[in-house]
Amino acid sequence: MKLSHFNFDLPQELLAEYPAENRDESRLMVLNRKEQTIEHKQFKDLIDYFEPNDVMVVNNTKVFPARLYGNKEKTGARIEVFLLRELNSETRLWDVLVDPARKIRIGNKLYFGDDESLVAEVIDNTTSRGRTLRFLYDGSYDEFRQKLNDLGETPLPKYIKREAEPEDEERYQTIYAKNEGAVAAPTAGLHFSKHLMKRLEIKGVDFSEITLHVGLGTFNPVEVEDLSKHKMDSEEAYVTAKAAETINNGITNKRRICAVGTTVMRALESSVSSDRTLNEFRGWTNKFIFPPYDFSIANCMITNFHTPKSTLLMMVSAFAGHDFIKEAYEEAVKEKYKFYSYGDAMLII
């Protein structure tokens, strides 16, 4: 498969600027791989496709407010700092992206907050926009992290042209988020409401939680026509023994194992044993899934509608079949489904 196979015309107005009013009332397109059928539903109708002891695997990563705005010393220029990952908690070193990058050089200092109580010094260049910063703050580590939380904004994706609003703090987070570490939400999970999860639990569906801290690498554009030459950024993932046990029981009993989102699918496929069951896992994964690919764990998937040429679209094509996904996406554009992070959902069975 080549990069150009994953291009399609996506009208700008189909990129969702806001989420659906109620989480579980976004639209749901249901693809049946065996029958090659497409149905149009609401997300809360998901319950009709699951039976007792089916397993839903969710990503419980929590998005932290990763976007900060500081001022450069002397010039006072406003600089956006996007926190990617903490490199060292003792020395408060962070891997970040800066914008505009051309103004930020090694040795520069940035000041944050009205009282300028948080300062960062540029230690190194990593990529064209990437920098290593050392934060200077008078206080304990917990107070420093609290300061970052206070000053940070919800890191809405760049395609959303508006400023982050107070509601985004809640809506750009799944209701089961608990392990902080992501700079982007695992968006397939945003459609679950407390009410829908309760109904699924009452029906007997088992939930299994894994963690994959979504990094910006997930959204890096693919710039090579030959997909085998694309390198994914590494993301931290955890699959506990308990999660593996629940999922493996489902596999043994031939139940539906549903990966809620591409991040879950990557984590599962990164920790497969030789007998196609799931191992406990703790580490980093840079797994890139594109067609053709033989999936080992999940036989069902929930995902959002992805942008052209994205690695996410490639994974979904590998799972559902390239031609079937192409047909589904043409239908989605025609039916005006909303795309991307705050957009509508797809269930592939």
Side-chain angles (χ1 to χ4, degrees), residues 97-115:
L97 296 177
V98 292
D99 191 21
R102 66 184 185 284
K103 296 184 173 179
I104 302 301
R105 298 192 171 88
I106 293 171
N108 286 160
K109 283 201 170 83
L110 300 170
Y111 293 86
F112 301 89
D114 295 338
D115 58 358

Side-chain angles (χ1 to χ4, degrees), residues 138-182:
D138 244 357
S140 69
Y141 178 73
D142 287 344
E143 289 166 333
F144 162 65
R145 288 303 297 247
Q146 188 55 52
K147 190 73 178 174
L148 288 184
N149 271 331
D150 293 344
L151 292 172
E153 271 186 13
T154 302
L156 292 180
K158 279 288 192 194
Y159 84 88
I160 292 180
K161 298 292 181 246
R162 61 182 177 81
E163 295 279 305
E165 295 172 15
E167 293 76 51
D168 292 310
E169 207 172 316
E170 183 219 342
R171 291 304 302 271
Y172 195 63
Q173 198 81 271
T174 62
I175 61 168
Y176 44 75
K178 51 169 80 97
N179 293 331
E180 194 172 82

Side-chain angles (χ1 to χ4, degrees), residues 92-323:
R92 299 179 187 177
L93 282 185
W94 281 74
D95 193 8
V96 307
L97 296 177
V98 292
D99 191 21
R102 66 184 185 284
K103 296 184 173 179
I104 302 301
R105 298 192 171 88
I106 293 171
N108 286 160
K109 283 201 170 83
L110 300 170
Y111 293 86
F112 301 89
D114 295 338
D115 58 358
E116 298 187 343
S117 59
L118 181 66
V119 183
E121 185 180 0
V122 183
I123 301 298
D124 199 4
N125 299 329
T126 50
T127 60
S128 58
R129 285 181 55 216
R131 302 289 184 272
T132 303
L133 297 189
R134 177 185 289 127
F135 283 99
L136 311 166
Y137 181 69
D138 244 357
S140 69
Y141 178 73
D142 287 344
E143 289 166 333
F144 162 65
R145 288 303 297 247
Q146 188 55 52
K147 190 73 178 174
L148 288 184
N149 271 331
D150 293 344
L151 292 172
E153 271 186 13
T154 302
L156 292 180
K158 279 288 192 194
Y159 84 88
I160 292 180
K161 298 292 181 246
R162 61 182 177 81
E163 295 279 305
E165 295 172 15
E167 293 76 51
D168 292 310
E169 207 172 316
E170 183 219 342
R171 291 304 302 271
Y172 195 63
Q173 198 81 271
T174 62
I175 61 168
Y176 44 75
K178 51 169 80 97
N179 293 331
E180 194 172 82
V183 298
T187 54
L190 295 179
H191 306 283
F192 284 89
S193 63
K194 285 193 171 79
H195 182 62
L196 177 59
M197 285 189 85
K198 197 76 204 155
R199 287 174 64 215
L200 285 161
E201 282 169 8
I202 289 167
K203 190 166 185 177
V205 173
D206 293 324
F207 279 88
S208 184
E209 295 185 7
I210 59 99
T211 306
L212 183 136
H213 292 314
V214 191
L216 282 188
T218 296
F219 309 108
N220 278 352
V222 180
E223 290 169 338
V224 285
E225 182 66 7
D226 178 355
L227 299 184
S228 65
K229 296 198 163 43
H230 177 68
K231 294 281 182 285
M232 291 286 278
D233 278 3
S234 289
E235 293 169 315
E236 202 170 1
Y238 303 92
V239 177
T240 63
K242 183 180 170 211
E245 186 186 357
T246 302
I247 293 162
N248 288 335
N249 282 343
I251 293 171
T252 304
N253 296 319
K254 301 195 165 26
R255 304 310 309 166
R256 194 162 265 175
I257 312 291
C258 187
V260 179
T262 55
T263 61
V264 168
M265 192 67 93
R266 285 184 69 220
L268 295 179
E269 290 297 317
S270 298
S271 49
V272 177
S273 70
S274 54
D275 62 355
R276 295 170 79 88
T277 56
L278 191 63
N279 285 329
E280 190 178 348
F281 182 82
R282 185 185 181 88
W284 294 77
T285 176
N286 62 353
K287 195 163 191 66
F288 174 32
I289 297 173
F290 59 94
Y293 185 86
D294 184 18
F295 290 84
S296 297
I297 304 294
N299 50 23
C300 162
M301 183 180 191
I302 296 168
T303 188
N304 277 25
F305 288 90
H306 306 295
T307 47
K309 296 184 177 178
S310 61
T311 58
L312 310 169
L313 175 58
M314 292 165 193
M315 181 194 289
V316 172
S317 291
F319 190 72
H322 183 67
D323 292 341

